[in-house]
Structure formats: C-alpha cells, structure tokens
Amino acid sequence: METTRTALITGASAGMGLAAAELFARRGWHVYAGARRVERMTELAALGVRVLTLDVTNSESNQAFVNTALTEQGRIDVLINNAGYGEYGPVEDIAMDRVRAQFAVNFFGAVELTKLVLPTMRGQASGRVVHISSIGGDLYTPLGAFYHATKAALQQFSDTLDAEVRRFGVRSVVVQPGGTQSEWAQVALATAKRNTALDSVYRPLVEAVDRLLSGRTASATSADLAKVFYRAAVAERPKRRYLNSVGDRLVVWTARALPNLYRSGMHQGIKRLAK
Ligand SMILES: NC(=O)c1ccc[n+]([C@@H]2O[C@H](COP(=O)([O-])OP(=O)(O)OC[C@H]3O[C@@H](n4cnc5c(N)ncnc54)[C@H](OP(=O)(O)O)[C@@H]3O)[C@@H](O)[C@H]2O)c1
C-alpha cells in the first residue's frame, strides 16, 4: 500500500502558498500549512489541512512546525519554502533593520527550515525541498535591491544543497514565479513608500513605480503557480528551475544571456519613468 505523502508549506495564509496547500490537500497529501495569520486559513482547515502558526524568522516556531509534522506523520516528503515578501525602496534610504528583516524572512527562514528537515529526509533516503524564488532571482528592477539579493541567494543555496544531498536521495529545486495575482505587489509598494521619505531624491521614482504598478493585474493566478509548485515537488527527474510561462523564461534568459541588453533596456525604462 502506498503511504500518504506529507508536505510542509510555509506562507500559506495568502497567494501561492494558500493555493498550493489547497491543491496538495485535494490531491490526497497530508499538508502542514504555516503562516502568522492563521485566522485566514479556516477554509484550509476544513479541507483537512493541518494549520499551524508559523513565523519563519523565529527558530522556536520553525522547530515546532517541523516537529509537529514529524511527530504526527513520522516522515516529511516535501518542504515548500514559500513564505516571502518584498522589502522595497532605494538602497540609500532603507534602514539596515529592514534589510535584515528581508533576509530573515526570505532567506534565513528558508535555510533554517531546510536544515531542520534534512536529517529526516536523509534518513528516509528521499525528500524534496522546493524553494520559491522569483524571476527576480535572475533579473533586477530599481527599488528591489534587497528582494533580488535574497532570491539570488536562495537560488545559489538550492543549487549547492542539491549537489550535497543528491547522493542521499534528497533533491533541492527552485520555482521562479513571474508577476502573479496575490498580495505581494500591494505589500511591496507599501514598503517602498514607508522606506522612502517624502523629501527623498528617490521619492519621484517610488511614486512613478507606484502609479505604474497600482492599476495592473498580473495574468498568472496563484492557482496557476500552485500547479508549478506541484510539478517541482513530484517530478521524477527534477529540473533545477521551474518557470510558469514562456514570457517568464524569455525575460530570465535575456537577463542571464544578454546582460548588457537587459541593463540598457532597464536604464531607458527608468529614464522614461523619471520624466
Ligand atoms: N506574486 C508575485 O508576483 C511573486 C513573483 C515572484 C515571486 N514571488 C514569491 O512567491 C512567494 C509567495 O508570495 P505571494 O505572491 O503568494 O505573496 P502573498 O500573497 O503576499 O503571500 C505571502 C505569504 O508569506 C507569508 N509570510 C510573510 N512573512 C512571513 C513570516 N515571517 N513567517 C511566515 N510566513 C510569512 C504570509 O503569511 P503571514 O503574513 O500570515 O505570516 C503569506 O502567507 C514569496 O516568496 C514571493 O516573494 C511572488
């Protein structure tokens, strides 16, 4: 008889994490879904998902999240490091405590949870860690320096980890969503405004980006990305990177293969915005 597989998903109170928790539960997995706003996860609980309070910046919280799953299921097949947000604003203006907060959630949280599940996965001789990066792990836009830095760090971390644990049957892979309907953009724009003083020389750029992005709706939905998370979690021969659309692949390819072209396009865009 096949055992029911167990997945741990962080940042499951909104957006892609919420959609992924629902998808894995509907496909018959034991799902452990963590976030700080558990009051928003009652529908998941009704589906049989185990909803747990989780703050990925807190070591005790991370330990309790992993221990609960392990005590109840005795195994962990998949960890999805999805919790994340954009701490946006100009490099010169963002306070160091906000820089540290960005790394605490997007990078160190994922690192700590990964380290907590590895002994179990290695002991099982199977398991997969799926890191939710971004197309912004390869490309960059102004005001996103620290967000891009955390996602690039996550990608390097994943590749190195994969090289270390593959021989034990454990794999580490990366999903790179592009713009996706969720609460992400609203949170990132709010941080950009909070991190930039009204009289800052960078304020006009922040206002222009806000005007540009406020009215826009991304074409991909969180449910679309949940399917990509699922593919990354179960593929028999996992790829290093998972992207959702041809457009996302093209922009990542351009940023990597034609960096000077990407950069000059970016500078022209900023000039137009700053006018
Ligand atoms: N949407 C996009 O366009 C886009 C594009 C590329 C990559 N991404 C990445 O995709 C992932 C999911 O984002 P999303 O678009 O679904 O955003 P979202 O709708 O804002 O959801 C973010 C989730 O992260 C959780 N989170 C934030 N801080 C946390 C913490 N300290 N501890 C635990 N959970 C925390 C939030 O839960 P609580 O606040 O309740 O804790 C929420 O459930 C993120 O890593 C994001 O960077 C998003």
Side-chain angles (χ1 to χ4, degrees):
M1 203 180 70
E2 206 180 300
T3 44
T4 304
R5 289 172 292 180
T6 298
L8 274 58
I9 304 175
T10 69
S13 64
M16 299 182 225
L18 180 63
E22 183 180 337
L23 180 72
F24 278 70
R26 289 195 191 283
R27 295 195 177 171
W29 290 55
H30 290 304
V31 179
Y32 287 75
R36 293 166 302 178
R37 295 169 296 171
V38 283
E39 68 283 1
R40 301 178 53 159
M41 299 161 77
T42 46
E43 285 177 23
L44 282 183
L47 274 178
V49 170
R50 190 80 157 83
V51 169
L52 298 167
T53 305
L54 172 69
D55 179 346
V56 300
T57 66
N58 179 312
S59 294
E60 281 169 23
S61 180
N62 287 335
Q63 184 83 61
F65 184 59
V66 172
N67 281 353
T68 303
L70 206 49
T71 307
E72 292 179 0
Q73 304 303 332
R75 58 183 295 114
I76 295 170
D77 297 286
V78 170
L79 165 66
I80 303 189
N81 282 320
N82 167 74
Y85 79 104
E87 185 77 51
Y88 269 60
V91 170
E92 197 178 329
D93 289 7
I94 298 188
M96 277 313 292
D97 67 324
R98 299 319 306 160
V99 176
R100 291 193 181 96
Q102 176 73 114
F103 272 84
V105 177
N106 291 14
F107 185 64
F108 294 123
V111 169
E112 185 164 60
L113 281 158
T114 302
K115 285 169 68 62
L116 286 169
V117 301
L118 280 178
T120 300
M121 290 184 173
R122 206 167 32 74
Q124 294 165 180
S126 75
R128 187 154 315 165
V129 185
V130 180
H131 303 281
I132 311 308
S133 175
S134 165
I135 56 172
D138 284 304
L139 53 86
Y140 52 90
T141 52
L143 309 178
F146 303 108
Y147 180 71
H148 296 302
T150 60
K151 295 302 190 182
L154 203 55
Q155 293 181 187
Q156 292 288 65
F157 170 68
S158 175
D159 292 343
T160 309
L161 174 66
D162 191 59
E164 290 178 3
V165 298
R166 186 176 181 165
R167 70 197 174 96
F168 301 116
V170 181
R171 302 304 302 267
S172 176
V173 301
V174 168
V175 175
Q176 292 184 272
T180 305
Q181 291 170 32
S182 76
E183 296 174 7
W184 186 92
Q186 192 188 316
V187 172
L189 286 171
T191 63
K193 287 196 220 160
R194 205 171 49 231
N195 287 324
T196 316
L198 286 174
D199 60 355
S200 164
V201 293
Y202 302 101
R203 190 74 194 188
L205 178 63
V206 172
E207 301 287 350
V209 171
D210 186 29
R211 279 195 302 278
L212 184 76
L213 298 182
S214 289
R216 280 206 186 160
T217 308
S219 57
T221 65
S222 285
D224 294 333
L225 268 295
K227 290 183 198 148
V228 182
F229 290 16
Y230 196 82
R231 282 210 306 279
V234 302
E236 264 182 43
R237 291 156 64 93
K239 295 190 289 187
R240 202 168 141 257
R241 301 282 182 268
Y242 286 84
L243 287 108
N244 177 52
S245 69
V246 174
D248 292 346
R249 276 190 204 98
L250 191 63
V251 70
V252 165
W253 180 84
T254 307
R256 290 183 68 89
L258 304 169
N260 291 328
L261 180 70
Y262 177 82
R263 186 175 62 171
S264 59
M266 174 67 55
H267 285 305
Q268 277 162 21
I270 298 164
K271 260 195 220 153
R272 273 200 302 276
L273 262 185
K275 263 185 196 161

